[in-house]
Amino acid sequence: MNLDDRESALYFYRTTSLLLSTSCFVLSISGALYAQVLEGNILDDENLLGQKSEPQNIAPLTTRFKLNGETLDYSSKGNFTFGVTDGDASNTNALLTGTFALSTEISEGVSDGLFERQQSGWYLQHQRIARKSEVTVVQRQAVDMIGFKLQFSATGDCQFPGTTTDQTCTYTPGLATVPGAYDADYYLPTELAETGMVGDVISDETAEALYEDGWQRGVDGGDEVVGVDVDILNSGTVANTDRASLNGIERQENVTMRSVFSLSKVDQELYSNDSQASIARTTRGFVLLDEDEWSREAALLQLAAWVLPKANAKLESGNGAPNLQISNNLFYAANNQWTPENSFTVFQAGRGYVDHPKIPPRNIAETPVSYYNGFWMGFSPVRSIETTTKSWLETTGDRVTTSGPHFSEGGINDGFELPNSSITIIDDILGEISQIELSNINNLYVQSGLELTTQNALAYAATTETSRYSLVPHIAFSGNRTDGVSVLRYYTGAIFGDDTNAYIGGDYSRSTQDGLAFMARGEAYSNPDRDRYSFIQGRISKTAQFQTGDSLTYGAGFLKAFNRPTTVIDKYDALSQDSVFDIFGKYGAKNGMTYQARYRVSDDEDDKSYSTTFAIGYQASDRFSFDAQFTPFSTEDSFIVARAGLSWRVADTPNAGTLKLQVADIKYDYGSDSVGQDLTTRERTFLGAYQVKF
């Protein structure tokens, strides 16, 4: 049985970032078992020599291995993928990956009742991974920007220390806004002209000039300028419901990619005697890191890969001729070894065993059990998340006066009334606060002017979530028990980022001959982050085969996350819900058509969400396939409204290039604005890729 096809599918969906919500849908209705009844003969009788020789016929399964997400075997010369991703609200990124076999060797033979095969190869790989992801969500709302113009001065006989009552003082500071000196984001004054202070003594000429009609600040061109004269464009905003049609929200995502090169040497040994078979695999690699990723631990990890001993699973010679009918489960177990996804191997060593059955198995349930245990070291991506916010205003109309201008001037002796008016004076040096009643000032003269204004504007609020990725050391121990109908895997490890994140996990998958299959998985982390968090997962399905060749699969699955850190924006990405429950079904027709449906209930920090998705696929031939999906109903924060994709192998030869195209329409729902309107946005994405194996 091979479980890693499920993980590789998930890796593909995540890295393309187009099918995130689809991936869970696809995986929920897949997960078939791959163990076979056939117990393969690994070589022909004419190759049974007393010394090792290069075999003429090799079963690919017996030489198959996985390296940094790629499945290879001895005959693999390499593969190359070139593609591009693009979207209405995302930047264009090139997809460029490749694996190249620099050299390969294989030899096998039988000596003293023991079959032995030695396989090795050097492989150069290039992959593209994210260096930085920046998602910005900008909310737009129509508002009225309220402003005012204020003119005020108060002068009279002095009552301040160091002055005499026959002098005239100003009871307001000399303060004014500077025309054009306003902040571009909020239209607030950035500069004030200060011409005097409260308590300044002014000349008789300045005092007389204030008595002139209209707003006066002193003698024209004089040195003494009194009073407050400010023009405030923005003293606050209020929502404008009449222009609510201008409200909206936008989402923009920019991803910066980086190249990662690795050089690996893979050694695999296979042994078989008359009662047992064993396999040992050792991978040593060098990963080219960025300059800031080279820590002491990273250097020691890379060095250790080339000095640690390789795995050894050599058997004792048997009493009779070696049994070359080795169970496929041994090879499945070797490739069922759990390794961290999206990671790069520096050192991997493991070995597995299987007993030869005394009676040939009649079905997959009778195939022998194989055990495999191993150790892995490498580098895994971790990310730091930084959230920043910014807001600004943008005027969209002329400034309009809503009240005024109102202006009055005079003194108490002239009948100018200032009921209950006073001026508060704060002495910063002495720390004293004093209050002067205007009605107690002799020869008081006041000027007061006010004008209220409004201006149409748009208020913007932007939130940017920046994820920065780096490769950090990671070690893991894992093992599995594989038979013809089930796989049990167990693993533990630690990721050595800024904070060490240790974990333990396992999964179990089983199928029966009558079409019943189920899977359970769980992981627990000591320091969970947004990408690696504790969870439990389960799925059960039933497949019915009809005499017509059609099939029907139906079932349910769930995912429950624990202690997953929240974020402002990333929570709106697909598959970000803390709890998911799916009911699904798939009907496969003999003519290559498939019909699928899924009903999902998800739960996040806000509320429950519901969605219904339908999908259709058509496998026209070994060369061409097409699939599409549509979600007519969803209350999820984000989901794929519609998606369509095709795969076309350009020639009949197995190694011919394959063209893959996909378009998707994604919807994001950010709730409602201040007037109750929905805040939603959509993005159309495109993926195109060309894959070649040679």
Side-chain angles (χ1 to χ4, degrees):
M1 174 188 293
N2 192 331
L3 291 185
D4 287 334
D5 292 273
R6 182 181 68 249
E7 295 181 351
S8 62
L10 184 58
Y11 171 75
F12 173 77
Y13 291 131
R14 285 178 176 172
T15 51
T16 59
S17 72
L18 298 178
L19 295 179
L20 288 174
S21 60
T22 313
S23 62
C24 191
F25 172 62
V26 174
L27 297 178
S28 295
I29 57 179
S30 64
L33 303 178
Y34 296 96
Q36 302 176 14
V37 179
L38 176 65
E39 303 295 300
N41 193 333
I42 60 173
L43 78 169
D44 296 331
D45 290 341
E46 60 266 24
N47 288 325
L48 296 177
L49 305 175
Q51 58 184 2
K52 296 178 184 178
S53 62
E54 183 173 352
Q56 301 301 313
N57 299 300
I58 304 174
L61 173 64
T62 65
T63 66
R64 191 168 298 158
F65 62 93
K66 294 193 173 184
L67 180 62
N68 298 333
E70 293 285 345
T71 300
L72 306 168
D73 58 45
Y74 171 73
S75 63
S76 300
K77 303 303 180 184
N79 58 70
F80 176 80
T81 299
F82 174 76
V84 64
T85 62
D86 196 12
D88 294 340
S90 57
N91 63 324
T92 302
N93 268 305
L95 302 176
L96 182 62
T97 63
T99 298
F100 304 93
L102 303 179
S103 66
T104 57
E105 295 180 2
I106 192 169
S107 62
E108 60 184 24
V110 175
S111 177
D112 297 328
L114 179 67
F115 167 78
E116 178 182 353
R117 174 190 287 173
Q118 297 287 339
Q119 172 187 340
S120 66
W122 285 87
Y123 299 89
L124 177 66
Q125 288 185 308
H126 170 262
Q127 295 189 32
R128 297 276 288 173
I129 64 173
R131 182 192 302 276
K132 183 175 76 169
S133 172
E134 201 170 72
V135 180
T136 300
V137 176
V138 181
Q139 182 179 347
R140 180 182 65 253
Q141 182 167 336
V143 297
D144 291 331
M145 188 171 71
I146 307 301
F148 64 88
K149 299 178 182 179
L150 175 65
Q151 299 165 329
F152 185 77
S153 72
T155 58
D157 292 351
C158 293
Q159 297 184 8
F160 298 98
T163 64
T164 61
T165 57
D166 60 350
Q167 294 176 310
T168 302
C169 289
T170 175
Y171 287 84
T172 58
L175 197 65
T177 53
V178 178
Y182 294 94
D183 175 71
D185 289 336
Y186 302 104
Y187 298 93
L188 298 176
T190 58
E191 183 180 352
L192 293 175
E194 186 176 354
T195 58
M197 301 178 63
V198 175
D200 284 350
V201 177
I202 61 174
S203 66
D204 293 340
E205 291 78 6
T206 299
E208 290 291 335
L210 300 180
Y211 299 152
E212 299 292 335
D213 291 339
W215 170 246
Q216 304 294 331
R217 301 193 69 194
V219 179
D220 289 342
D223 295 333
E224 296 177 338
V225 181
V226 301
V228 176
D229 187 3
V230 294
D231 185 1
I232 305 300
L233 299 178
N234 175 26
S235 63
T237 60
V238 294
N240 188 311
T241 57
D242 294 334
R243 296 186 295 118
S245 60
L246 299 177
N247 297 355
I249 199 164
E250 296 177 357
R251 180 185 186 275
Q252 177 68 39
E253 180 173 7
N254 293 310
V255 179
T256 303
M257 306 292 288
R258 58 176 279 198
S259 293
V260 178
F261 290 91
S262 61
L263 178 65
S264 304
K265 184 177 188 293
V266 179
D267 293 298
Q268 180 167 291
E269 301 174 356
L270 179 65
Y271 300 95
S272 181
N273 57 27
D274 58 350
S275 62
Q276 193 178 38
S278 65
I279 190 170
R281 182 180 298 162
T282 304
T283 301
R284 307 177 193 270
F286 174 80
V287 180
L288 186 59
L289 303 174
D290 277 355
E291 181 178 356
D292 58 353
E293 294 171 341
W294 280 100
S295 62
R296 180 180 60 182
E297 293 79 6
L300 290 175
L301 196 74
Q302 302 241 43
L303 178 62
W306 299 93
V307 298
L308 288 173
K310 70 175 184 178
N312 181 14
K314 188 172 183 178
L315 300 174
E316 297 292 335
S317 298
N319 296 323
N323 188 342
L324 301 183
Q325 299 287 335
I326 299 176
S327 172
N328 292 341
N329 290 337
L330 177 64
F331 308 106
Y332 288 131
N335 288 321
N336 280 339
Q337 181 184 7
W338 183 89
T339 55
E341 62 184 29
N342 305 340
S343 300
F344 297 88
T345 300
V346 170
F347 181 79
Q348 182 177 1
R351 57 186 182 182
Y353 299 89
V354 67
D355 291 332
H356 295 307
K358 294 181 171 47
I359 301 175
R362 295 166 296 179
N363 52 60
I364 58 175
E366 295 181 357
T367 56
V369 176
S370 178
Y371 295 90
Y372 190 93
N373 292 281
F375 172 69
W376 182 92
M377 293 194 314
F379 296 97
S380 295
V382 298
R383 65 167 167 162
S384 60
I385 302 176
E386 178 186 8
T387 302
T388 58
T389 59
K390 180 183 179 183
S391 60
W392 69 94
L393 294 168
E394 180 182 297
T395 58
T396 59
D398 296 330
R399 191 180 186 190
V400 178
T401 299
T402 58
S403 179
H406 305 287
F407 182 79
S408 59
E409 60 181 326
I412 293 180
N413 297 332
D414 299 329
F416 191 87
E417 297 183 1
L418 291 169
N420 301 321
S421 296
S422 63
I423 293 177
T424 301
I425 300 174
I426 302 175
D427 191 325
D428 290 332
I429 298 177
L430 299 178
E432 297 178 351
I433 300 176
S434 59
Q435 198 169 42
I436 300 177
E437 295 291 337
L438 294 181
S439 59
N440 294 332
I441 301 174
N442 294 327
N443 295 316
L444 175 68
Y445 191 82
V446 174
Q447 300 179 101
S448 178
L450 180 64
E451 180 180 353
L452 301 180
T453 65
T454 185
Q455 191 169 7
N456 289 347
L458 292 174
Y460 293 90
T463 301
T464 299
E465 200 163 81
T466 303
S467 298
R468 291 180 173 85
Y469 300 84
S470 59
L471 295 176
V472 300
H474 186 172
I475 62 173
F477 299 87
S478 66
N480 71 83
R481 176 194 183 277
T482 299
D483 60 30
V485 296
S486 68
V487 172
L488 171 66
R489 300 196 302 180
Y490 40 89
Y491 45 90
T492 185
I495 305 164
F496 299 96
D498 292 337
D499 298 310
T500 300
N501 193 2
Y503 60 89
I504 186 172
D507 56 55
Y508 180 73
S509 184
R510 183 178 180 86
S511 67
T512 63
Q513 295 181 9
D514 59 359
L516 183 65
F518 66 90
M519 179 275 293
R521 183 181 181 187
E523 293 181 3
Y525 287 82
S526 65
N527 188 22
D529 57 29
R530 188 65 186 167
D531 303 307
R532 297 177 179 88
Y533 50 89
S534 304
F535 70 89
I536 57 173
Q537 181 181 12
R539 184 182 65 242
I540 184 169
S541 64
K542 170 71 173 178
T543 299
Q545 300 286 346
F546 303 111
Q547 293 182 350
T548 58
D550 298 351
S551 65
L552 174 65
T553 301
Y554 54 91
F558 77 93
L559 171 68
K560 174 62 178 177
F562 303 96
N563 302 322
R564 188 182 190 191
T566 60
T567 60
V568 177
I569 294 179
D570 189 55
K571 68 176 184 177
Y572 290 100
D573 287 349
L575 289 183
S576 68
Q577 295 88 350
D578 292 335
S579 299
V580 175
F581 177 75
D582 288 341
I583 300 175
F584 54 85
K586 174 184 177 181
Y587 186 86
K590 185 179 179 180
N591 61 4
M593 294 292 297
T594 57
Y595 308 90
Q596 305 176 39
R598 183 206 67 200
Y599 178 73
R600 167 172 292 177
V601 181
S602 55
D603 189 8
D604 54 26
E605 60 186 24
D606 297 326
D607 202 355
K608 290 187 181 297
S609 300
Y610 307 89
S611 67
T612 302
T613 301
F614 300 98
I616 187 172
Y618 179 54
Q619 183 76 40
S621 65
D622 292 338
R623 294 177 54 189
F624 180 82
S625 64
F626 170 84
D627 66 280
Q629 76 173 68
F630 174 59
T631 301
F633 169 78
S634 176
T635 61
E636 296 170 314
D637 291 336
S638 62
F639 63 96
I640 294 180
V641 180
R643 180 192 62 82
L646 63 85
S647 176
W648 176 51
R649 195 170 76 242
V650 298
D652 282 329
T653 57
N655 291 336
T658 301
L659 177 67
K660 295 186 177 182
L661 301 174
Q662 178 181 267
V663 292
D665 181 12
I666 307 173
K667 182 177 181 180
Y668 299 91
D669 187 348
Y670 294 93
S672 57
D673 60 18
S674 61
V675 297
Q677 294 185 139
D678 292 338
L679 288 174
T680 61
T681 184
R682 294 170 78 152
E683 180 186 10
R684 288 180 293 272
T685 59
F686 170 78
L687 165 67
Y690 187 73
Q691 300 175 332
V692 178
K693 293 184 178 181
F694 46 88

